[in-house]
Amino acid sequence: MSSESSRRQSRRGRLPALLATAVVGLLLIGTGLALRGSQDRAVRVAIAGTETALAPTATATLTPTASPTPGPSPTPTLTPTGTIPASATPGPTPVPPMSIRVDTGSYPTPSTPPSTQIPPPVEPVDIPDGVVNVMLLGSDKRADDPGFRTDTIIVVSINTIENSVNMLSIPRDIMVYVPGWTMAKINTAYQRGESTGWRGGGAGLLKETLLYNFGIRVDYYALVDISSFQDIVNTLDGVEVPVDCALTGYVLREPRKSIRDFATYEEWTAYTADEDNWMEYTLPVGVHQLDGYEALWYARYRYGSSDFDRAFRQQQVLRAILTRARTLGLVDAGKIPGLWQQYSDLVQTDMGLGNMLQFGPVAANIDDIAINTYVVTPDLLTAWYDLAIEQQVFLLNPEGVASLMQAAMNPPAQNYLIRNTASVEVRNGTVTDRLDEVAADRIERLGLRTTATGAADSTRYRTTVIYDFTGREKTSQLSALQRSLRVADADVIIQPDPNRTVDYVVILGQNYTSCTRSINVPDAPRPTDGPGTGTPSPDSTVTPDAGLLPELPPTLPVETPAAALPENPPAPTP
């Protein structure tokens, strides 16, 4: 037996812990009992002092106060009727020291002057019976960096009664109030809780932060670091990921080494610091088999993209891991007890074996269309440049976020899924290999039951067409298909068929563009020395300008110009 085969078998022996780390949020963790502590709070937080001019609605008594000293205990150092001093650091538009009364109700008050307005807490989202919320975290923890961050935050809502799952990605650059501390990027809350001895540690403080800012009650958490994620994918012998937008960046040259190949961490950092060990790499549109290193690169890469796009790719990889695990029969409830023995060594979590056993049936039986994905996107945020950390961050727009939270925390019931879905078959009428699978992945995220069937009767279709065999007036499903695939009404062919086996057939043409996911991320206006500098109000808008991300270049190869192609072939049979 080769050494590589031995390593693979050894890794597979550690599979449950590894799988539980990445798929935990989707399927392998949870419980039938949602914890419903009475955490409804009527809390009002006043505007804190800032380095720059405050919003005009702020009122305050201008009396100097002493700065409180933060301590390691989660108990706040300020009383609910205390004061928050202004920062001593001069800003472009200095303001006098301010005394502002703060009433945080049952939430801890800030221990550090915030750089922007502290919003009031939101009302907790109503959670249906049988729904469990699991916080899935990915950290960038490294041996030389005690101040690690949780750059991946995905809240997975699991309906244990209806066998449905919602995934909500929260980008790392959102600025929130971290109870007992200050306004900070959400990816720093976990480490703050660890370093200050918060009850429940970092996970406890991050749970409280999500409740305060989003109204999300989290029941459990699981945290995985970079090395464990790669182990998960390698244990599965890789995963297949449908790539709809080409991604270009730098990767380590083959043969790649891992941190385990070095005796010390310093040797590893010297290896990665050597530019000769890197090469430019493009992952083109198509379906690709990715190993652990490649899957991590695809999920985490940000340059030329954004955190919002990265959140989408992370969800793609999680679904790919789930698909592979189910193919290998690794989510069967009967295997969980034996696999559990090695779980605690490889993942940080507050769940037990009982949770895993209760949730096993959902993992094995969930339908692909019952997994819905959500992302907090820029249209729900206000871009702002924080002088304190010298970074662009995003502030929440409460009304839009509230609607998203309500949808994301309520996985759909089966009768709703049945009533509101349709069957779609996708055929590839282009020369791009497996493009039908890439398009099918997009369509399935619309909640439509989709099957990719390979090549059409020709690879020379000029335009993408949709055949509608339902015989109904234009449905919401058809409208969603057209919007997603960018198909005009003129390219929808109505052919009612009462004996149909599918509701719609999509044939991809040369005009199909798979990469339509570019998200406009506005640049925050930089503070100036003139008037008007200060904290934006949460409902202010930022007009996109030259700072927008450019569209990714076209990636579909076209052997013959579209104008030279013949008309589309005759209609297919349903």
Side-chain angles (χ1 to χ4, degrees):
M1 180 182 298
S2 68
S3 59
E4 176 59 29
S5 298
S6 299
R7 284 194 296 270
R8 185 175 294 115
Q9 287 192 4
S10 174
R11 288 196 303 262
R12 188 157 290 179
R14 304 164 63 206
L15 184 60
L18 300 174
L19 265 181
T21 323
V23 188
V24 66
L26 284 177
L27 302 166
L28 293 183
I29 56 177
T31 177
L33 302 175
L35 303 180
R36 296 182 178 276
S38 58
Q39 297 174 318
D40 297 304
R41 288 155 170 147
V43 182
R44 311 183 75 174
V45 181
I47 298 174
T50 65
E51 296 177 349
T52 54
L54 296 175
T57 56
T59 59
T61 303
L62 303 181
T63 58
T65 62
S67 175
T69 301
S73 170
T75 304
T77 58
L78 295 176
T79 63
T81 57
T83 60
I84 303 175
S87 170
T89 304
T93 309
V95 294
M98 308 186 71
S99 173
I100 300 172
R101 300 184 66 82
V102 177
D103 182 6
T104 58
S106 57
Y107 284 96
T109 55
S111 64
T112 302
S115 58
T116 186
Q117 169 182 335
I118 296 179
V122 302
E123 291 295 321
V125 177
D126 291 332
I127 306 294
D129 292 338
V131 171
V132 179
N133 288 333
V134 179
M135 181 171 65
L136 180 63
L137 308 173
S139 81
D140 62 354
K141 188 173 184 178
R142 295 174 173 86
D144 65 338
D145 182 11
F148 69 90
R149 296 156 294 275
T150 51
D151 281 353
T152 297
I153 302 175
I154 300 177
V155 178
V156 183
S157 296
I158 308 154
N159 192 323
T160 60
I161 298 173
E162 298 290 346
N163 280 8
S164 57
V165 169
N166 284 356
M167 287 193 294
L168 169 69
S169 290
I170 301 177
R172 65 176 188 174
D173 290 334
I174 294 178
M175 179 159 275
V176 295
Y177 174 56
V178 180
W181 186 23
T182 191
M183 292 291 290
K185 288 172 59 175
I186 195 168
N187 67 341
T188 64
Y190 188 98
Q191 177 59 20
R192 172 68 180 182
E194 291 286 290
S195 64
T196 59
W198 188 272
R199 59 186 178 276
L205 183 54
L206 185 50
K207 287 179 182 181
E208 194 81 351
T209 300
L210 289 175
L211 181 61
Y212 184 100
N213 296 275
F214 297 92
I216 300 173
R217 295 190 183 99
V218 173
D219 301 305
Y220 303 105
Y221 85 98
L223 181 144
V224 61
D225 62 22
I226 291 172
S227 296
S228 294
F229 178 86
Q230 294 184 68
D231 283 343
I232 292 166
V233 177
N234 288 333
T235 300
L236 296 171
D237 295 326
V239 293
E240 276 198 341
V241 177
V243 176
D244 56 354
C245 292
L247 200 64
T248 298
Y250 284 87
V251 299
L252 287 170
R253 293 182 184 275
E254 296 278 11
R256 298 188 185 103
K257 295 181 180 180
S258 72
I259 190 172
R260 297 186 182 97
D261 295 320
F262 297 89
T264 66
Y265 189 78
E266 289 71 23
E267 292 176 345
W268 161 250
T269 55
Y271 166 71
T272 57
D274 187 346
E275 293 183 2
D276 292 338
N277 291 329
W278 295 87
M279 61 175 286
E280 190 175 50
Y281 171 72
T282 295
L283 186 67
V285 169
V287 179
H288 299 280
Q289 180 79 11
L290 305 180
D291 63 20
Y293 177 88
E294 294 164 339
L296 180 67
W297 178 83
Y298 179 73
R300 296 188 75 228
Y301 200 77
R302 184 168 177 245
Y303 298 103
S305 180
S306 69
D307 272 337
F308 306 96
D309 183 69
R310 182 164 67 167
F312 171 84
R313 285 183 270 119
Q314 289 168 353
Q315 292 179 352
Q316 266 193 311
V317 172
L318 282 179
R319 292 178 72 124
I321 291 173
L322 166 63
T323 299
R324 180 61 175 162
R326 293 174 67 178
T327 300
L328 295 175
L330 299 172
V331 295
D332 297 340
K335 295 182 179 180
I336 291 177
L339 298 176
W340 173 260
Q341 296 177 6
Q342 300 181 49
Y343 187 111
S344 59
D345 294 335
L346 299 169
V347 60
Q348 290 181 229
T349 184
D350 55 359
M351 291 177 293
L353 176 58
N355 304 131
M356 301 285 286
L357 290 172
Q358 283 184 295
F359 201 66
V362 179
N365 299 320
I366 192 169
D367 194 326
D368 288 341
I369 65 168
I371 303 175
N372 303 298
T373 56
Y374 299 86
V375 177
V376 180
T377 48
D379 57 306
L380 303 176
L381 306 168
T382 295
W384 180 61
Y385 190 83
D386 186 356
L387 287 172
I389 60 175
E390 297 184 343
Q391 291 181 19
Q392 173 167 305
V393 295
F394 296 90
L395 303 176
L396 296 170
N397 295 334
E399 291 185 3
V401 171
S403 299
L404 177 65
M405 294 304 107
Q406 192 63 45
M409 296 300 107
N410 286 268
Q414 286 297 325
N415 59 359
Y416 175 86
L417 293 172
I418 294 170
R419 289 197 312 268
N420 290 276
T421 192
S423 56
V424 182
E425 181 180 305
V426 184
R427 304 177 187 178
N428 188 3
T430 77
V431 296
T432 303
D433 187 42
R434 302 180 72 176
L435 190 60
D436 55 311
E437 296 176 54
V438 175
D441 178 71
R442 172 191 292 184
I443 295 170
E444 192 168 71
R445 293 195 299 273
L446 301 175
L448 303 178
R449 196 175 301 280
T450 310
T451 304
T453 58
D457 55 329
S458 169
T459 60
R460 295 171 60 81
Y461 275 80
R462 293 176 56 187
T463 58
T464 299
V465 293
I466 300 174
Y467 289 89
D468 179 357
F469 301 114
T470 64
R472 298 192 292 265
E473 293 293 327
K474 189 171 184 178
T475 63
S476 60
Q477 292 90 349
L478 177 58
S479 296
L481 267 178
Q482 288 185 249
R483 286 193 302 270
S484 179
L485 303 178
R486 298 185 176 183
V487 174
D489 287 342
D491 294 317
V492 177
I493 301 170
I494 309 297
Q495 292 186 350
D497 185 348
N499 300 315
R500 66 185 180 275
T501 56
V502 293
D503 295 319
Y504 304 97
V505 169
V506 173
I507 301 182
L508 302 177
Q510 297 291 342
N511 70 335
Y512 174 65
T513 301
S514 64
C515 187
T516 59
R517 203 177 62 250
S518 291
I519 300 174
N520 289 339
V521 182
D523 280 341
R526 295 294 183 99
T528 66
D529 294 331
T533 302
T535 303
S537 60
D539 58 354
S540 65
T541 57
V542 178
T543 304
D545 55 16
L548 299 184
L549 290 175
E551 289 286 333
L552 293 174
T555 55
L556 296 181
V558 180
E559 294 183 347
T560 307
L565 292 174
E567 293 298 324
N568 286 347
T573 56

